[in-house]
Amino acid sequence: MQTLVENFNFVRQQVSKAAEEAGRDPSTVRLLAVSKTFPADDVKEVFSAGQTCFGENRVQELSEKAKTLSDKIEWHLIGHLQQNKVRAALEFSDWIHAVDTPELMARIQTIAAELDVHPKLLLEVNISGEESKFGLTPDQALELAKSLPPSPQAPLVGLMTMAPFEAPEAELHRIFGGLRALRDRIAAETGMALPELSMGMSGDYKIAIAEGATIVRIGTAIFGHRG
Ligand SMILES: *Cc1c(COP(=O)(O)O)cnc(C)c1O
């Protein structure tokens, strides 16, 4: 049995190695440890081993962990966010990865101003085109970005996508490369920098890194299988 810290160190090395193999500086790829369903003690252990960014997909679980753990942890909300949970989400989330409607974007920006917090926001885009409940189409993402007033309060910093589970390698390259190309296009048409590409999970992060991921969201490979 590998310990949690051994798993974490292995993944950390693999992420660096994948960056080097892609001719990239490893410091440009952020490892986000996805701790959903695992107890706060597990987060604490991985935090003690040097990890500071953790991802959760539910607001309530994120808040519960954030309340009991070090305030040096940077929390990323990676799951779908409902309008009525924005206020609660902004209490502890430093990043929100899955903004997927103009209404949600507007609400986050309004409430961020009220609370005077500065979350970083990413648009979730459905590049694969598979039937999926969430995510903007590439055209919708472009339109939304174009319509946004500059917001130093809650800046749009990039794009996020999820690839279908067990997609073939060529398809993964198409999806992740597609997100990068879309980011380049939106950046060119809006003048926004959009440096962040949140893409890649336990099964496909090496391909995502080869295609330019700046944040890989890794759960299972660090914490084990979710029950
Ligand atoms: C759970 C989750 C992950 C992590 O997936 P693993 O396959 O366990 O690495 C990444 N992104 C999102 C949005 C998730 O919900």
Side-chain angles (χ1 to χ4, degrees):
M1 251 313 259
Q2 299 260 301
T3 69
L4 194 43
V5 170
E6 282 167 348
N7 283 344
F8 164 63
N9 282 326
F10 178 75
V11 169
R12 183 155 64 167
Q13 281 164 13
Q14 292 296 303
V15 166
S16 286
K17 190 161 155 253
E20 275 161 14
E21 282 169 7
R24 301 181 54 199
D25 174 352
S27 72
T28 62
V29 183
R30 188 188 272 104
L31 168 58
L32 179 63
V34 177
S35 48
K36 65 185 185 204
T37 78
F38 290 95
D41 279 348
D42 286 3
V43 175
K44 207 171 180 173
E45 202 174 324
V46 175
F47 173 70
S48 301
Q51 175 68 14
T52 52
C53 315
F54 290 86
E56 288 284 335
N57 68 340
R58 292 178 54 245
V59 173
Q60 194 184 338
E61 192 175 346
L62 186 154
S63 302
E64 280 165 9
K65 286 176 187 164
K67 273 178 205 157
T68 61
L69 294 166
S70 167
D71 60 11
K72 297 204 171 58
I73 292 178
E74 183 178 88
W75 290 101
H76 293 231
L77 182 67
I78 60 176
H80 179 68
L81 174 59
Q82 289 168 273
Q83 296 271 355
N84 63 358
K85 299 211 173 130
V86 170
R87 192 173 294 276
L90 288 180
E91 201 183 339
F92 294 106
S93 306
D94 302 293
W95 294 62
I96 296 181
H97 286 233
V99 180
D100 62 356
T101 62
E103 293 74 23
L104 180 62
M105 186 75 180
R107 188 163 168 80
I108 292 170
Q109 292 188 325
T110 303
I111 295 180
E114 269 178 51
L115 300 175
D116 198 22
V117 292
H118 293 85
K120 293 188 168 74
L121 309 179
L122 296 104
L123 298 180
E124 180 178 2
V125 187
N126 181 354
I127 295 281
S128 68
E130 72 164 346
E131 288 295 316
S132 153
K133 272 186 293 178
F134 305 119
L136 297 152
T137 65
D139 285 343
Q140 287 170 335
L142 177 64
E143 285 316 305
L144 203 172
K146 276 185 173 169
S147 73
L148 281 181
S151 171
Q153 184 82 49
L156 180 62
V157 298
L159 306 179
M160 177 270 216
T161 200
M162 306 233 325
F165 188 58
E166 293 191 330
E169 210 169 292
E171 173 74 357
L172 292 169
H173 278 286
R174 188 184 72 76
I175 292 168
F176 297 142
L179 193 73
R180 187 192 54 211
L182 178 66
R183 184 277 307 276
D184 293 347
R185 179 168 170 220
I186 297 176
E189 292 196 25
T190 62
M192 283 188 258
L194 305 180
E196 305 292 346
L197 290 172
S198 167
M199 55 190 196
M201 319 200 325
S202 292
D204 55 21
Y205 66 90
K206 290 179 187 169
I207 294 172
I209 290 169
E211 293 293 348
T214 62
I215 306 176
V216 288
R217 309 178 308 265
I218 301 186
T220 310
I222 297 172
F223 293 97
H225 288 282
R226 292 178 287 273

